[in-house]
Amino acid sequence: MTVLEETTKKESLWDKSGELSGVLTAVGILALTRIGQLVMIWWLNGGVAEPRSIWERLLIWDAGWFLRVAMDGYPEGYTYSATGQLEGNELAFFPVYPMLIRAGAALGIDPSAAALTVAWLASVCAAIALHLLGSSLYSKRAGWALVAICCSAPASVVLSMAYSESLFIALVAGMFVAAHRRVWWAAGLLGLLTALSRPTGAAAALGLGVAALLALKHDDQPKWKPLAAAAAALAGVPLYLGWVAYRVGDLTAWFKIQTAGWGTSFDYGESTGKFLWTTLRSGDGWVPMSVALILLVALAAAGVALAQKPWLPLAVYGVVAMILVYGQAGFYHSKPRLLLPVLLTLLPAVVAAARARPRVAVLSIVAWALFGLWFGAYLVTVWPYTL
């Protein structure tokens, strides 16, 4: 072995060791946020009129829908009330997370335990993927900051719940890491799974499509690889919506079910605008006010992020995802949760934390985490409405 080969081998081993150390640190940061979240839930749970166990708190609201899909499957068609009114049903929920719950139950795990196990394991994968994405785009410190800021955001409580956000973040961040590193088979597979996990997977697929187009100009690999990856991701959401349409016998079935069950429809931001206008004028209720401020701050942060010219595929995904979140009607207090996987809104804080002195960065992120973890705990213990 020549001196050059030996040196190259040592540098490769050093890089792998450093990346492993960075990944372990990212998982440690996630663990701190999740433990802190559970402590907050336990603390607030003791002060409510009808306390529940922490386990029950993590299995409320949408968790029940996911469990029904996992164990009972999807219904054959529409669901109606006793008065004949169309209601929401399990067809509104995309299949990847319920399939993983079902797989866990098939191994003999209690379905509720399987739902939380999948969500928690997905949170670990999300932390790893977020660190790798931040490190690939900026620096190792940025990778850690992205993990800390995302996993302690005001709606990050869903990362501990039987919700699909932890899985979606893991998939979308992993997809972008694979695309940035030109591992197109992984990008395509993760992109397809992302698109079959949540409706906003369509935005992620568009982001991957942009990455594929960029690769056609600057990559020496065969052109079909990035194109195939983008095609796989772009097919995901239409495949599921088409399957629902076929199952029900109505081309717009999924949209009707969403509207009937959760009031979700795309109204070009009219409902969001009315909510912001009414809430900021009246100042009625601190939760509505805080959600309104979160929505405005997220918009401003996205503007700053775009001014900093982030990686174009991530920017396209973020902008399209935000249009979907702000442009749809629905429960206003769910919007911070829907914004959590967008990532674009977090980039200015991530870049600032990576450039700041370590002590300043740590203190700033801890302050952010204290509010974010407390806010999420409040929503699942005291706030009476769905998250």
Side-chain angles (χ1 to χ4, degrees):
M1 180 181 292
T2 65
V3 174
L4 178 59
E5 289 173 335
E6 186 174 352
T7 303
T8 302
K9 183 177 180 181
K10 287 181 179 178
E11 289 177 350
S12 177
L13 290 172
W14 174 262
D15 290 342
K16 290 180 179 178
S17 175
E19 189 164 271
L20 177 60
S21 174
V23 163
L24 292 176
T25 301
V27 174
I29 293 171
L30 169 75
L32 286 176
T33 67
R34 295 307 88 210
I35 292 170
Q37 189 79 80
L38 294 177
V39 169
M40 290 286 188
I41 293 173
W42 170 80
W43 176 50
L44 289 174
N45 193 51
V48 297
E50 297 181 5
R52 301 180 183 178
S53 68
I54 294 177
W55 186 265
E56 291 176 302
R57 296 290 182 190
L58 301 180
L59 289 165
I60 55 177
W61 301 320
D62 283 3
W65 290 100
F66 285 120
L67 282 166
R68 283 191 290 275
V69 174
M71 303 316 299
D72 302 328
Y74 287 107
E76 295 291 337
Y78 287 128
T79 301
Y80 297 92
S81 67
T83 59
Q85 185 175 359
L86 182 64
E87 295 181 329
N89 67 24
E90 290 80 1
L91 287 167
F93 294 86
F94 277 52
V96 173
Y97 180 47
M99 287 172 62
L100 292 174
I101 297 172
R102 190 179 186 90
L107 296 175
I109 304 174
D110 175 77
S112 296
L116 289 177
T117 299
V118 170
W120 294 346
L121 289 176
S123 294
V124 174
C125 295
I128 294 171
L130 288 170
H131 170 69
L132 294 176
L133 181 62
S135 299
S136 297
L137 296 179
Y138 299 104
S139 67
K140 184 179 288 188
R141 283 185 61 186
W144 292 330
L146 182 57
V147 174
I149 292 169
C150 181
C151 295
S152 60
S156 62
V157 65
V158 292
L159 301 181
S160 294
M161 299 173 68
Y163 271 53
S164 63
E165 269 74 15
S166 56
L167 178 63
F168 185 82
I169 293 173
L171 291 171
V172 74
M175 180 196 76
F176 281 125
V177 170
H180 193 262
R181 298 185 179 191
R182 303 292 194 263
V183 186
W184 293 112
W185 69 267
L189 176 60
L190 292 172
L192 176 61
L193 292 174
T194 299
L196 291 173
S197 297
R198 295 188 62 81
T200 43
L206 288 174
L208 183 58
V210 172
L213 292 176
L214 293 176
L216 293 180
K217 294 182 178 181
H218 306 292
D219 204 337
D220 295 331
Q221 293 188 43
K223 306 298 184 184
W224 66 268
K225 289 186 177 181
L227 292 177
L234 288 166
V237 170
L239 276 174
Y240 182 67
L241 299 187
W243 178 80
V244 172
Y246 174 78
R247 189 173 182 85
V248 176
D250 184 346
L251 191 61
T252 59
W254 185 84
F255 300 95
K256 290 178 179 177
I257 291 168
Q258 278 280 85
T259 302
W262 295 269
T264 303
S265 61
F266 195 80
D267 63 0
Y268 300 93
E270 181 181 353
S271 298
T272 303
K274 286 182 178 178
F275 162 70
L276 290 172
W277 176 254
T278 302
T279 301
L280 294 173
R281 285 189 66 192
S282 66
D284 184 25
W286 80 265
V287 170
M289 277 295 297
S290 63
V291 170
L293 291 174
I294 287 170
L295 292 177
L296 292 176
V297 169
L299 275 177
V304 173
L306 293 173
Q308 294 174 342
K309 297 182 179 179
W311 186 43
L312 185 58
L314 190 61
V316 169
Y317 158 63
V319 169
V320 176
M322 290 187 72
I323 290 173
L324 294 176
V325 172
Y326 284 81
Q328 73 176 21
F331 297 131
Y332 68 85
H333 37 270
S334 294
K335 290 191 183 294
R337 169 175 67 87
L338 300 177
L339 284 173
L340 182 65
V342 170
L343 303 183
L344 179 67
T345 60
L346 306 178
L347 292 186
V350 168
V351 172
R355 293 175 178 173
R357 289 182 296 176
R359 183 177 179 182
V360 173
V362 169
L363 289 176
S364 299
I365 292 174
V366 167
W368 161 266
L370 288 175
F371 168 73
L373 298 177
W374 176 85
F375 184 85
Y378 184 92
L379 291 183
V380 299
T381 53
V382 182
W383 184 249
Y385 304 108
T386 184
L387 176 63

